[in-house]
Amino acid sequence: MIKKIFIASCLLFSLVSLAQQGTSSPYSYYGIGDIRFRGMLENRSMGGVAVEQDSIHINVENPASYASLKNTTLTMGGTYGTKTLKDDVNNATAKRTTLDYMAVAIPIGKAGIGFGLLPYSSVGYKIQSISADGSKNNKRLEGTGGVNKVFFGSGYKVTKNFSLGADVQYNFGKIETDNLEYITDVPVGTRETNVAYVSGLNFNLGAMYQAKITPKVNLYSSVNYTFKGNLTSENTRTISTVDYDGTYDIDPEGFDEVNTAKKLVLPSKLTLGLGFGESRKWMVGAEVAMREAGNLANNYNNVTGVTFNKYSRYSLGGYYIPNYNSFTSYAKRIVYRGGFRFEKTGLMVQNQNIVDKSVTIGFGLPSLGSYSNFNIGLEYGIKGTTAAGLIQENYFNASVSFSLNDKWFVKRKFY
């Protein structure tokens, strides 16, 4: 059954991930868009902490984790999000529904492999500036698309407590922006359309170690390093004179097209994690991620007053299971998760660091008679600031995922 679900999920996810608009943030104008992926929902519900060598959940952040899985695991997650955008005067609300990831991991003795597809970044904004007295041109800016990531990795259990892993990641995507400039009551304007096809490889190494510090309590540790990678962006810029109406239906009159290419740089990233806990009972952990400044400005969004600095993330979280093998109370078998995340995105606009901070809670609902589970996660956060005329985003995300566990490649004893 899990094989049939996997094939159907691959087809569905491939179509939807390329078509969906994964964000509604004006900050997605810069670079390659809003960086969306922050781990599986189980880890995201703990503020992003992923330090335990889990045997039934996939951790794609650290490929060394694949060696700890006991069964073949398929996971898929999605999010419904609402966001309030506000400045010093105005505010607006946006909603979106997205598929977040799909991944499969297969244990092979002391080793394991994992592969999957996930949206890495998203572009999604619609900004309109109308001159109140007609002294300036009106502007309408719109952007869609993003970068997706296909990955394949493997992990190996060097000793009972120590694992190593590596993966390769192929990044690809299309980003399209449309800038319309016009004068009030004049049905002719100028439009600039930019289309960028982005692609490139990067690599990831990871290690995980755990040890007993008391008869019941374990020490968990994790380190993960992503190497610097290059992205090639094939750009097409089209400038045209257009006719438009009140609903912005556009009829191009004439255009001039220019094709260029640009090299973008995905910076290296180091993630360190440490935690303590009792297996199948509780865990508390912390994680720190640091990333160098990248070169992500493209030809169409390389503007003054914007720089890309070093990124950092600080996460604190954990889980609690009252009694994982209780036969009398389902509530005692539920995994209760919670966490906090503070993130300096590395984006600086008008001398203002764009910071993203959130609190998270989650619930892991086990299925009866198997290791499969259904997960729910809630997140409330604030991104950006209203200082210097910028936008602050207050957002709430409700996410769900499932993790199906089964044994593959087992020879039948009865026919």
Side-chain angles (χ1 to χ4, degrees), residues 191-266:
R191 183 179 71 171
E192 177 187 308
T193 301
N194 293 280
V195 179
Y197 290 93
V198 179
S199 62
L201 289 172
N202 64 331
F203 302 91
N204 191 32
L205 294 178
M208 303 186 81
Y209 177 76
Q210 70 178 42
K212 288 279 187 183
I213 55 176
T214 73
K216 287 188 175 182
V217 179
N218 298 316
L219 166 71
Y220 305 106
S221 61
S222 172
V223 58
N224 188 62
Y225 183 77
T226 303
F227 292 89
K228 181 173 67 173
N230 292 321
L231 291 176
T232 299
S233 180
E234 300 290 342
N235 303 325
T236 299
R237 170 174 291 178
T238 304
I239 299 177
S240 56
T241 301
V242 297
D243 294 330
Y244 69 95
D245 59 20
T247 59
Y248 296 97
D249 289 331
I250 293 175
D251 182 21
E253 294 290 335
F255 63 88
D256 181 31
E257 185 175 282
V258 178
N259 296 308
T260 60
K262 185 175 176 62
K263 293 290 185 181
L264 308 179
V265 177
L266 287 174

Side-chain angles (χ1 to χ4, degrees), residues 51 213 217-220 274-278 282-285:
V51 298
I213 55 176
V217 179
N218 298 316
L219 166 71
Y220 305 106
L274 189 68
F276 302 90
E278 181 180 345
W282 63 271
M283 191 276 297
V284 176

Side-chain angles (χ1 to χ4, degrees), residues 112-155:
I113 61 172
F115 54 92
L117 171 67
L118 56 95
Y120 178 71
S121 72
S122 291
V123 175
Y125 61 87
K126 188 178 292 184
I127 304 169
Q128 185 166 303
S129 174
I130 299 178
S131 176
D133 57 6
S135 61
K136 298 180 180 179
N137 289 353
N138 304 314
K139 295 181 179 181
R140 180 181 174 88
L141 307 146
E142 188 172 357
T144 58
V147 178
N148 299 295
K149 183 188 294 289
V150 175
F151 65 90
F152 178 85
S154 63

Side-chain angles (χ1 to χ4, degrees), residues 369-384:
S370 75
Y371 292 109
S372 298
N373 52 86
F374 182 78
N375 301 282
I376 300 172
L378 304 175
E379 178 182 29
Y380 175 77
I382 299 173
K383 180 179 180 180

Side-chain angles (χ1 to χ4, degrees), residues 304-369:
T304 58
V306 176
T307 56
F308 296 94
N309 298 325
K310 292 184 177 181
Y311 162 98
S312 60
R313 171 176 61 85
Y314 305 92
S315 298
L316 179 66
Y319 70 80
Y320 175 69
I321 310 173
N323 186 355
Y324 81 95
N325 61 356
S326 174
F327 293 102
T328 58
S329 174
Y330 182 80
K332 290 183 178 180
R333 296 174 57 202
I334 293 176
V335 184
Y336 300 90
R337 304 182 176 103
F340 170 78
R341 173 177 57 84
F342 180 87
E343 185 175 322
K344 293 180 68 174
T345 65
L347 177 64
M348 178 175 283
V349 183
Q350 302 300 331
N351 294 320
Q352 301 293 322
N353 282 308
I354 305 304
V355 172
D356 188 354
K357 50 192 175 183
S358 71
V359 292
T360 58
I361 60 172
F363 308 92
L365 309 176
S367 66
L368 299 176

